[in-house]
Amino acid sequence: MLRAARAVACAVRRGRRRAAAALVLCLVLAPALPPAAAAQAAPYVAAHAPYATAADGKPTVRLSAKEAGKGGTVTVTGRGWRPKALLTLLICGQNMIGGTNACANGDGRAVTTDAHGAFRRKLPVAEPPKPCPCVVHVATVTGAAADAQAPFTVAGHPVAPLPEERTGGRLAVVAQPRLTGSSNLLTWFGAPAQRELRVTVGNLGSAPARDPVFQIGTSHGVFAPQWAEQQWRGTVPAGKKAEVRLPVELPAGAHGDYLVSLKYGGKVLVEQPWGVGRPWGVTLFWVLLCVVVPTAVFRIGMAVVDRVRPHLPGRDRGRFAGRPRPGGRTHAAGRPPGAAGSGKRIRNRTARQRAGDGTGTPDDSAALPWFTPDTAPSTTTSTERPTSKGSA
């Protein structure tokens, strides 16, 4: 009995030790179990999670692979975007700190989000013009601006350290912007309209802003702005303000209502309307061209026809009426000088007609051909009428 009691007591003590060891092991492994379970359940949760915006209210982007070579593809998925929004997907170098100039724009893709603000699109892998570190950048095309990006490695593409940020300040507009300048005669004929955007900005940061790079965009109607980078040469000290002047130019022949936008640091600072008149000089040019060219062609054609067509005798008499005819012919006689019928009879008839008219000057008798010095009337002959009988 004593031996049996001792054996039972030893068994109980061994059981207690095993239980205590098991309890200690559970307490040690307890903190590691939830992360492992969460890690195993993460793919399932991500695949079946509802389409919703992230906790911070910003859209999210995920990639199917973190690295791929040129010629491959990577699947881009996103959630939390605006429903039915048009997005662009680009692979950019240098973390896109230089804007879209560092992106492979020719190999980008576009996608439209669904009713829940989610999308899924395959993007071909291309080498950006700038070295890595690279990112996949997703941004909206129309409507409210929104963007997101995810790190990505293009296999075989060169890698270089990021350039130093040249600007350290935070700029904000402190005065009403203005568009200065006017159109000229060339603009009236379709030349590009040009203006100068003047904006007074203040540096709200603690570091000076040296040679800040702005983005200027012009939009017409419902279309999104076309952004172009412009660097302003100068420095805005911390807590100070300065006037920034940037040129703005529209394409040739542009007219209508435009909107000029200024962006800095990914934030739109200014939106200034700009009304551009229609180039009526171009319209006037085309109207004159449509009138002058047919008239000139008609005149040239009529001149050619008049030169090459045969001349009929009846038409010649009508053309040469009232003026000397070629070859010494006259319209009155109808025959050349010296022909029959131009002798003394014609001179006598002409003399009688002139005598019957009773007009002329004393000098006309000297020029008449039918008088000779022997037969000319004497100037001493009296031409007075005799007085009648009984007159005094």
Side-chain angles (χ1 to χ4, degrees):
M1 291 295 294
L2 183 58
R3 291 181 179 178
R6 290 179 178 177
V8 171
C10 291
V12 170
R13 283 195 296 269
R14 286 195 297 267
R16 289 178 179 177
R17 292 173 183 173
R18 292 176 183 176
L23 180 60
V24 171
L25 182 62
C26 290
L27 293 176
V28 172
L29 298 179
L33 288 176
Q40 293 178 358
Y44 179 83
V45 174
H48 296 80
Y51 297 102
T53 308
D56 56 356
K58 295 182 180 180
T60 59
V61 174
R62 293 182 181 179
L63 306 179
S64 61
K66 296 297 183 181
E67 181 178 354
K70 180 181 179 181
T73 58
V74 59
T75 302
V76 184
T77 57
R79 291 179 175 86
W81 297 85
R82 191 174 63 255
K84 302 299 181 181
L86 181 61
L87 310 177
T88 56
L89 287 70
L90 299 173
I91 296 180
C92 307
Q94 290 184 346
N95 286 348
M96 201 188 171
I97 61 175
T100 55
N101 292 334
C103 304
N105 299 305
D107 297 293
R109 292 293 183 267
V111 65
T112 302
T113 59
D114 58 15
H116 302 281
F119 70 90
R120 182 183 181 88
R121 186 75 161 86
K122 288 186 176 182
L123 178 65
V125 178
E127 294 185 353
K130 300 293 184 179
C132 286
C134 301
V135 294
V136 174
H137 182 76
V138 182
T140 56
V141 178
T142 58
D147 60 350
Q149 57 189 24
F152 182 73
T153 302
V154 180
H157 192 61
V159 180
L162 296 175
E164 296 182 1
E165 188 69 23
R166 302 185 63 181
T167 58
R170 294 187 297 111
L171 301 182
V173 178
V174 297
Q176 182 68 23
R178 295 176 298 157
L179 278 174
T180 60
S182 60
S183 302
N184 50 25
L185 183 61
L186 296 179
T187 307
W188 199 66
F189 280 95
Q194 297 178 349
R195 293 292 188 273
E196 186 179 58
L197 179 63
R198 297 186 178 184
V199 183
T200 302
V201 297
N203 188 356
L204 306 180
S206 59
R210 297 183 178 89
D211 298 337
V213 178
F214 296 91
Q215 288 183 320
I216 290 185
T218 55
S219 59
H220 180 58
V222 298
F223 297 97
Q226 300 295 328
W227 300 101
E229 293 185 353
Q230 292 190 19
Q231 187 174 20
W232 181 71
R233 299 293 182 179
T235 302
V236 183
K240 303 294 183 178
K241 61 181 180 179
E243 185 181 36
V244 177
R245 299 184 181 184
L246 299 173
V248 184
E249 181 175 333
L250 296 179
H255 61 277
D257 296 329
Y258 282 80
L259 185 66
V260 180
S261 304
L262 180 66
K263 183 189 294 186
Y264 177 76
K267 182 180 178 181
V268 178
L269 302 180
V270 170
E271 287 186 345
Q272 183 71 15
W274 182 9
V276 185
R278 181 180 295 272
W280 292 108
V282 179
T283 305
L284 179 62
F285 170 78
W286 285 111
V287 171
L288 294 178
L289 188 65
C290 294
V291 173
V292 173
V293 171
T295 304
V297 172
F298 176 77
R299 295 291 299 271
I300 294 173
M302 293 302 298
V304 172
V305 170
D306 186 64
R307 183 170 292 276
V308 300
R309 69 179 179 180
H311 297 285
L312 300 179
R315 294 183 178 178
D316 289 345
R317 285 198 299 269
R319 291 180 58 191
F320 293 103
R323 56 180 176 176
R325 297 172 59 86
R329 301 176 64 90
T330 61
H331 177 70
R335 60 191 69 182
S342 60
K344 184 176 180 179
R345 183 177 57 184
I346 296 177
R347 290 198 300 269
N348 293 338
R349 185 170 61 248
T350 306
R352 287 195 299 270
Q353 291 176 355
R354 289 178 176 270
D357 295 340
T359 59
T361 59
D363 295 337
D364 292 342
S365 59
L368 296 178
W370 54 87
F371 291 112
T372 61
D374 298 336
T375 61
S378 176
T379 56
T380 59
T381 304
S382 175
T383 57
E384 298 181 357
R385 294 181 59 185
T387 58
S388 61
K389 232 183 231 187
S391 62

